[in-house]
Amino acid sequence: MTETTRYKADPLATVRSMMRQYGGIFLALVVLCVFFSLSNPRFMSVANMMNILQQVAVIAIAAFGMTWVILLGEIDLSVGSIIAVAGMVGAQVIGLGWGFAPALALTLLSGALMGALNGVLTAKLLLPSFIVTVATMSIYRGMVSLPTNGAPAMIMDPTWTAIGANSLLGVPIIIWIVIALFLANHILLSKTTFGRRTYLTGGNREAALYSGIKVDRMKIVIFMISGLMASISGILLSSRLYSAQTNAGMSYELDAIAAAVLGGTSLAGGTGTMVGTLIGALIIGALNNGMNMLSVPYFYQLIVKGLVILVAVWLDVRSKRRKA
Amino acid sequence: MTETTRYKADPLATVRSMMRQYGGIFLALVVLCVFFSLSNPRFMSVANMMNILQQVAVIAIAAFGMTWVILLGEIDLSVGSIIAVAGMVGAQVIGLGWGFAPALALTLLSGALMGALNGVLTAKLLLPSFIVTVATMSIYRGMVSLPTNGAPAMIMDPTWTAIGANSLLGVPIIIWIVIALFLANHILLSKTTFGRRTYLTGGNREAALYSGIKVDRMKIVIFMISGLMASISGILLSSRLYSAQTNAGMSYELDAIAAAVLGGTSLAGGTGTMVGTLIGALIIGALNNGMNMLSVPYFYQLIVKGLVILVAVWLDVRSKRRKA
Amino acid sequence: MAETPNDVVLSLRDVSKTFGPITAIRRMDLDVRRGRVHTLLGENGAGKSTLMKILAGVQPATGGTITLDGRPFAPANPQQAAERGLSIVFQELSLANTLTVAENILATREPARFGFISDRRLIERAEALVRELGLPVDVRARVGDLSIAQRQLVEIAKGLSHDAKIVILDEPTSSLSDAEAEILFGIIGRLTQAGKAVIYISHRMEEILRLSDDITVMRDGEYVATLEKDRTGIDELIALMVGREMTEIYPPRLGPAPGAGVAPVLEVSGLSREAEFHDISFAVKPGEILGFFGLVGSGRSEVMKALFGMTRAEGEVRLDGAPLTLSGPAEAIARGLGFVTENRKEEGLVLGQSLRHNITMASLGRVSSRGFLRRRLEGRQAREESARLGVRAASIEAAAGTLSGGNQQKVVLAKWLMTRPRVLILDEPTRGVDVGAKFEIYRIIRDLAAEGTAIVMVSSELPEVLGLSDRVAVMSEGRLQTIADRTDLTPERVMSFATGQTK
Amino acid sequence: EGIGASLLTQQHPFYIELADAMRAEAQAQGVPLEVSIANQDLSKQLADVEDFIVKGVDVIVISPVDSQGVLPAIMKAKNAGIDVLTVDVPAAEVDVTSYIGTDNYTGGLRAGELMAEVLGEAGKVAIIDYPTVQSVVARVEGFKKALEDYPEMEIVAQQTGITRAEALAVAQNMLQANPDITGIFGFGDDAALAAAVAVKSAGLADQVKVIGFDGMEEARNAVDTDPVMVGVIQQFPGEMGKQAIDTAIAVMNGEEVEAEQPIVPGVYTGQ
Ligand SMILES: Nc1ncnc2c1ncn2[C@@H]1O[C@H](COP(=O)(O)OP(=O)(O)OP(=O)(O)O)[C@@H](O)[C@H]1O
Ligand SMILES: Nc1ncnc2c1ncn2[C@@H]1O[C@H](COP(=O)(O)OP(=O)(O)OP(=O)(O)O)[C@@H](O)[C@H]1O
Ligand SMILES: [Mg+2]
Ligand SMILES: [Mg+2]
């Protein structure tokens, strides 16, 4: 199902097959937006749309990385902790006075390394990724606090903070970054042999091995992608907050997983797309934003969020089953 | 491997095969205990052993329920929220002045119902249990706060609080409860047709269906067991704290899963035992307690805990692979 | 027909079954009589297993009536079917690998009091059953630790553990060697003597003609004919089944076998892997077909996996004279080796993905440039390969899992043909494949050899090995017993090597 | 042998300063001190206290995760004959040897009064809260109480934003829904600093004033440099920590101590 659409050239057919493919979840997003717009006319303003995109950026980027991992049939629970470590690495390197570029490079490197560790432990020691990343979630979360003994670290670098605060051509830089990363991940997944190998490996690991795919290396690279995406999320978050918080990103892994699964990525591996994940992340973002606009109390927000996830996934499963 | 041991009658052979079966993880527990005893002589005192057991009770009982769910190849992330709801239900019913017995009954009922909802959504709507329980985790957590608007609720009932505070024959009641629930779960799993069907269904769902097992009903019952165990954990926690906290049990599901997996339960379903889960829970408990005794700072505790989980699971995987 | 009507124990009229838009069975009639073996014959995807699943209560029929002992029969689940005296051995293994043999055989019927299982009695009962059937399996062993053949025996034991009036056996011998199959045939004889009815499904014509009393042929989900064994022959059955005449099962060699002067392309010397195989040496020339015969468990698959680099092994493997480091399938494929694995569902196909994905998965480099897929090129090449093998599917975008067994096997072949291998290893290439498809696969193997590909074909079917190979290697207990020209071998001689009687 | 301290969290500058002050004072006085972090989990706090009891400390200093839920931990310590002091958050339903903490309600009142003052006694105000923490509830109550005296002042939104990231999103969304907001009260420094970022990114820096609570260095710097941050209620964790250790030592020496030692917060509006 998933794959067929990619080869249509006719744009109308593409739109139709998009609707077929993401029908359930797309509908859920539209219904949500219509409902919130009726409740509060400001919801649909351009300013608020940008708000939503900015707020959802951190989750969406982490969810892009998570999509790769889930496509392989694995899971990465350490994403929230990596987000926090990344911010702290950036803050510390800036604190050393090395400037923006080295801070950026080292932060991304730290994310890739943490992801690589997850990948190596999963691929080489053959431990289940759930347990590996539960463990590294704890380890990385402990590590965040080491440099400052638990305190947040201020980030004074003007370039770093500009990422979260400034705009380019009237659109916040954060949104440009989300768009760029979406396109990069989407193309890598749907247009390249690497993406194809990911689908094949997630679909049947054994068959992939026999077909000459280096599954171990693949796994390590994909956990690195997840770590890298999480570290970019960490950069955006810390730049929005002008500081690295030791509890940053706590439980964001669950939101990232929810976004991917809402978007039709199967936890069994082998099925899913970046477009779906983006829609999933937007649903979560629109929901949080809309309920704040309606002044829904916090506890009710939790309940409604859970219900919307259930309904959206159910719609999606149902529409897929009907097609099959 | 797992099953063969059940047929030995000779006690010495049983001990030997226990060692074979739980070798890796048992070793990890012994090493931990020896290390902590050498570092602090008080660690091995009877009083401290009781401390550990009491502290680990809440996780252990939730992990017993989680073991059932994982054996079926499913997962229950709502356990932590159910723990909180259970305490709140108890507090509210006691607050109505209905007394201990109705409060106890309604609390257990609430746990079973929340579990049943997870089960029905998973079995009947065919949604993945990961996403169902991520959603109900949020829903149940929202519900806890409704009666008190987020504030904790005091529990004044003397019987309720006695559970957490009193002893019987010199052993705290909590420990008796853990022992009783361990035995009940262990016997149900290893000696009855229900337990055997759980292994069969987790091992091969098709085979179970072909053998006439009502897999759907099975799933619902097992999520109910998990909910029930979580609600008992909630009772113990609230009785130890004399109050129902709205953030009680937060992220305990991860500890419960870690305990089960440490104990050799496979996330793929079909393999695992209650004995293993108990050992897994004890490792977590001994670790937390031992590091407190050594005054290890909190962040280092997180790091060490993650490392110990990794090493223990690796030992276990390795010892199983060598046997195969 | 002299029998009285009450001889008929099970009777189907007008039974049909649809899966959404797909019609798997349309208007099927069948009469099964006690004390007789009734064989169902049909191509892959003809609807045999589906019909049996209806009888076993796994799936409901969508139309028609079934009567059992004169009373209507519409089981809602397998237990109801069992209660009415019907038991089934499924085509696909339905065992839990983590449980023991005893636990699997008696699943849901464990001896228990108040829900508490008596493990002692469970073992006793399972042992008694296995002994009575004469099956060589340890009931305490974990199913996951058994070989495929042994698992199939466990599956049979499980099916026969019910005291049933009607026993359904859906391709029970597809993973069995002749010796084990003989045990099964003995059991079937005892069942019919005791007045039970047996419904039997198989693609092996020899055993069908030997065992059956009645044979019903199905085609495209429809009833074609019911014949008595004594009044028909293999040619008529095949013609009914595939809808055309087939005179020769093994296509003739298209050219002469490579002469003595041709250098071998693959040379294996002293290949060993602890506890699996020892000191295996052989060589194949371009255009040659080397058959590998042996009993199930003799270690042939392990040898092939090792030289493909899937498992570590000692010894030397040379391709075109240059050594292969056995570092993994990627190297093997790059050097021109192809491996059609034995278990297509687990090792061969990504069932949830399209034929196109499956066909190009081992040669992605050929349909991409600089890491980017060229989807037109990919589609064209996948279509070509699929057409070349005559894969019957709606399109190359259909999911592999929706094809019948024989067509799935052809997709696996297509995947490896697309890599343009110089040496192609085929492990049981026709397991579970119907006669028509078998012939096509044989033809493809012949074509490949004629084009100069060296073929190594592992098979447990002696006629297949002898019908196709230029030379035959025989393995027993992990050792190579002989390699000889086809012309120097008789079936008896091969069997005596395979059973270790001749060294 | 010495003092055991069980602190609510280590992920907040307030508690870091508190812990540092306690350690410094203990070292200066030559008394052994062990610190455990409950990480906002009451049962971890109970376990920490149980472990202190097994270790045999003389005095336990607790900053409760929850005023009511801390009862069993305190009871256990008292039953073991160990004196208990509470810092920052009081314990309900049980007497402790002494409580040393900020008067949060008064602090909330001052925040309200400051808000009225900077807005000219009229305007629409939003609150970022954390309703499961009693000390925060007291601050918010005080803040609302103070505003009751000003009929022109109205509270138009109140939302929960616990972490800085949550507070930022909540503030943005409140401003989006109520663009006429002129003041925001954040229950802590994190909430206030996040609100100030939201105000600036919404382009409302001339219109909205933000007041925080805690008064750690980052927030005081912001008050100095950022016109949006008009003031912060300042707690004195250093003083609190020192006083807690001094009290504990006094208790160990058998001296009498005051049952309540309130520390009145200051109002910081810049240099
Ligand atoms: N669950 C299903 N959904 C859709 N189609 C199905 C399903 N099960 C079977 N079919 C289709 O029904 C047809 C009959 O399949 P069946 O398995 O009965 O064939 P068979 O005669 O047993 O073949 P083989 O000899 O390969 O075992 C096939 O075309 C198959 O694709
Ligand atoms: N007696 C036995 N008991 C258990 N397992 C066995 C036994 N004999 C062989 N096996 C299993 O069978 C495998 C080796 O057989 P292999 O598959 O290589 O043989 P083969 O000749 O290719 O037979 P097959 O037709 O089954 O493929 C190993 O995985 C081994 O575990
Ligand atoms: Mg079939
Ligand atoms: Mg084989």
Side-chain angles (χ1 to χ4, degrees), chain C residues 300-301 342 427-428:
Chain C
R300 297 158 300 167
S301 298
E342 161 174 48
D427 195 355
E428 308 283 3

Side-chain angles (χ1 to χ4, degrees), chain C residues 19 22-24 42-51 53 59 91 170-171 203 402-406 432:
Chain C
F19 294 100
I22 302 164
T23 304
E43 288 181 281
N44 292 121
K48 305 178 294 291
S49 298
T50 306
L51 194 65
K53 283 183 187 162
Q59 294 163 344
Q91 176 177 13
D170 192 351
E171 297 198 34
H203 290 296
T402 62
L403 300 192
S404 77

